[in-house]
Amino acid sequence: AQSVTQLGSHVSVSEGALVLLRCNYSSSVPPYLFWYVQYPNQGLQLLLKYTTGATLVKGINGFEAEFKKSETSFHLTKPSAHMSDAAEYFCAVSVGTSYGKLTFGQGTILTVHP
Amino acid sequence: DAMVIQNPRYQVTQFGKPVTLSCSQTLNHNVMYWYQQKSSQAPKLLFHYYDKDFNNEADTPDNFQSRRPNTSFCFLDIRSPGLGDAAMYLCATSRVTLSSYNEQFFGPGTRLTVL
């Protein structure tokens, strides 16, 4: 069975600083990997995904993530944080089940302070 | 714009009083999912429909049921809500085929309060 671990339930950065949210996964088969963002009282919005091909994937709002098979990691980064980035971020993995089941990490709350 | 719509956004019900949450989609996706998300937790999959085929997660309580009358609509029925069922309920859709998998698209959620 697959699993996802997000290191750090809370991350705090200054506006303009680098954002790094960590995600490690466990899977016995090549995974599909996703990052979603959730603002308060809203649904989840896809930031980016890795399925096959290029291991560095770019997403919306300036975010990117790199799939590192040897480290079983899929960390999310953004060079310069903006106040509007404050939200909860979920890493998720799918191993291509017949119905695309997602297994989510526990989430990381990102705080951006002036 | 194609999207996933959930109604209502906020629902208040009384302990034990049946409640139905609604989800509709204009994406024409073949799979629809219902998740429960409690405060400060990750979404937890309750069940999904693959076309007309209903699939329950093993640990989903019997108190939760679902209906999908057509491709566009899916309903979550909670037969006798308890205080522990207060949560955000998220509907999601995806186009899943044997040869490809795409991401799930989420609705804005319905926040259920049980009094």
Side-chain angles (χ1 to χ4, degrees):
Chain A
Q2 66 272 21
S3 66
V4 177
T5 301
Q6 291 183 236
L7 300 176
S9 58
H10 290 80
V11 170
S12 181
V13 300
S14 298
E15 190 173 20
L18 171 72
V19 176
L20 171 61
L21 304 183
R22 300 178 187 272
C23 173
N24 288 90
Y25 69 91
S26 172
S27 173
S28 58
V29 298
Y32 299 134
L33 294 160
F34 306 84
W35 275 100
Y36 284 88
V37 62
Q38 186 177 34
Y39 297 97
N41 287 314
Q42 294 190 26
L44 277 68
Q45 180 184 11
L46 181 71
L47 280 177
L48 48 79
K49 65 179 179 182
Y50 169 78
T51 54
T52 59
T55 57
L56 180 64
V57 293
K58 296 185 183 298
I60 62 172
N61 301 338
F63 284 94
E64 64 181 37
E66 186 171 11
F67 170 60
K68 292 187 176 181
K69 184 179 179 180
S70 61
E71 299 177 8
T72 61
S73 68
F74 191 56
H75 302 330
L76 181 71
T77 60
K78 182 174 180 178
S80 177
H82 192 272
M83 298 295 289
S84 61
D85 295 327
E88 188 161 18
Y89 293 79
F90 291 95
C91 181
V93 63
S94 173
V95 292
T97 61
S98 60
Y99 59 96
K101 179 178 180 178
L102 289 177
T103 299
F104 286 93
Q106 284 303 104
T108 298
I109 295 173
L110 175 66
T111 302
V112 183
H113 49 86
Chain B
D1 287 342
M3 57 175 55
V4 181
I5 302 163
Q6 291 189 244
N7 287 305
R9 292 293 315 279
Y10 299 89
Q11 176 73 57
V12 180
T13 191
Q14 292 180 336
F15 183 94
K17 183 176 182 181
V19 65
T20 295
L21 309 183
S22 170
C23 177
S24 64
Q25 54 133 339
T26 61
L27 299 162
N28 201 32
H29 284 169
N30 57 339
V31 185
M32 296 186 75
Y33 312 82
W34 278 105
Y35 289 87
Q36 180 192 63
Q37 186 181 25
K38 295 188 176 180
S39 182
S40 302
Q41 296 184 21
K44 177 181 178 296
L45 183 64
L46 295 173
F47 27 60
H48 74 277
Y49 271 95
Y50 192 123
D51 293 323
K52 295 182 179 180
D53 294 333
F54 175 75
N55 298 272
N56 212 25
E57 293 298 297
D59 57 354
T60 298
D62 293 340
N63 199 26
F64 292 87
Q65 303 289 326
S66 185
R67 297 169 283 136
R68 189 179 186 185
N70 53 54
T71 300
S72 301
F73 284 87
C74 195
F75 300 98
L76 170 62
D77 301 310
I78 308 177
R79 292 190 298 185
S80 182
L83 297 179
D85 297 327
M88 173 76 90
Y89 289 87
L90 297 167
C91 175
T93 72
S94 183
R95 172 157 296 284
V96 178
T97 68
L98 292 177
S99 60
S100 69
Y101 166 73
N102 289 315
E103 67 269 19
Q104 293 184 19
F105 292 80
F106 284 81
T110 294
R111 181 163 296 283
L112 178 67
T113 300
V114 182
L115 300 177

